[in-house]
Amino acid sequence: MEKVLLLDINYLAISILPIKRAINLLVKGKAEIVGDQEVNIKTGSGFFRMSTIIKLVYNIPYRAYLGKTKFSRKNVIIRDNFECKYCGEKLLLSQGTIDHVVPVSKGGLSNYSNCVACCKECNKTKGNKSLDEVGFTLKSGPRTPTIISLYKYCVKDAPMEWQDYLIGI
């Protein structure tokens, strides 16, 4: 099924929608077509052509679509670009682990602000110790990913038309 890139009123990518949801936004007047690239959509009455990029016509506060991503091992590994935040080793989604920067035994929480992608060897070495105790440093600090930043890694072969809107995410 084809997907449509949804932009906010400021042309920032905020989501990737199924065609049906995009058409619904267009019909209700909540969005407008932006892109030139069109796809053919088969409907009960024939074919419908529409763009693969639409933009909302009203403003949504940035906080409305920030931080609404489900916390999971998979999302942490995707957020951290499939690499260990301690040694930089490339990780496979099936083999990567997550590490609590502040161990749970010392009051650390299981959330995006305290967890990073980690290879099994670094995770075993660190255990329930602090970074200082094992001499580890983070390549970059943990943060809450946006929905679109996770989609960027999940969407295979995103249309070229989307590339200008996905840069910097």
Side-chain angles (χ1 to χ4, degrees), residues 50-62:
M50 79 169 273
S51 172
T52 60
I53 302 175
I54 62 173
K55 176 182 82 73
L56 293 174
V57 296
Y58 54 90
N59 194 25
I60 294 180
Y62 188 62

Side-chain angles (χ1 to χ4, degrees), residues 65-81:
Y65 50 87
L66 185 69
K68 292 194 176 227
T69 56
K70 179 182 174 189
F71 176 77
S72 68
R73 182 187 67 81
K74 176 183 175 183
N75 286 347
V76 170
I77 293 170
I78 292 170
R79 177 203 66 188
D80 291 345
N81 202 24

Side-chain angles (χ1 to χ4, degrees), residues 4 17-27 31 50-51 54:
V4 174
L17 307 173
I19 288 282
K20 189 174 182 179
R21 174 74 175 121
I23 291 171
N24 193 20
L25 288 172
L26 290 168
V27 169
M50 79 169 273
S51 172
I54 62 173

Side-chain angles (χ1 to χ4, degrees), residues 5 11 159-168:
L5 181 65
Y11 292 86
M160 285 301 295
E161 184 180 35
W162 293 11
Q163 297 308 313
D164 291 339
Y165 301 102
L166 296 178
I167 291 174

Side-chain angles (χ1 to χ4, degrees), residues 43-168:
T43 64
S45 58
F47 283 93
F48 176 78
R49 291 184 62 77
M50 79 169 273
S51 172
T52 60
I53 302 175
I54 62 173
K55 176 182 82 73
L56 293 174
V57 296
Y58 54 90
N59 194 25
I60 294 180
Y62 188 62
R63 67 182 179 278
Y65 50 87
L66 185 69
K68 292 194 176 227
T69 56
K70 179 182 174 189
F71 176 77
S72 68
R73 182 187 67 81
K74 176 183 175 183
N75 286 347
V76 170
I77 293 170
I78 292 170
R79 177 203 66 188
D80 291 345
N81 202 24
F82 298 90
E83 68 178 39
C84 176
K85 284 297 183 180
Y86 300 125
C87 70
E89 179 183 328
K90 281 295 183 187
L91 303 171
L92 296 174
L93 193 56
S94 61
Q95 296 174 333
T97 64
I98 60 171
D99 180 63
H100 293 78
V101 178
V102 176
V104 174
S105 64
K106 296 181 181 177
L109 302 175
S110 293
N111 59 29
Y112 284 118
S113 301
N114 188 46
C115 291
V116 294
C118 185
C119 69
K120 289 180 181 177
E121 190 60 37
C122 286
N123 202 340
K124 191 171 155 184
T125 302
K126 183 174 173 291
N128 69 343
K129 300 178 184 95
S130 71
L131 296 178
D132 291 337
E133 288 176 299
V134 290
F136 281 3
T137 57
L138 288 170
K139 303 256 181 231
S140 61
R143 60 182 167 35
T144 301
T146 61
I147 293 169
I148 198 70
S149 68
L150 295 177
Y151 276 134
K152 183 175 127 178
Y153 295 104
C154 296
V155 173
K156 303 256 190 277
D157 303 317
M160 285 301 295
E161 184 180 35
W162 293 11
Q163 297 308 313
D164 291 339
Y165 301 102
L166 296 178
I167 291 174

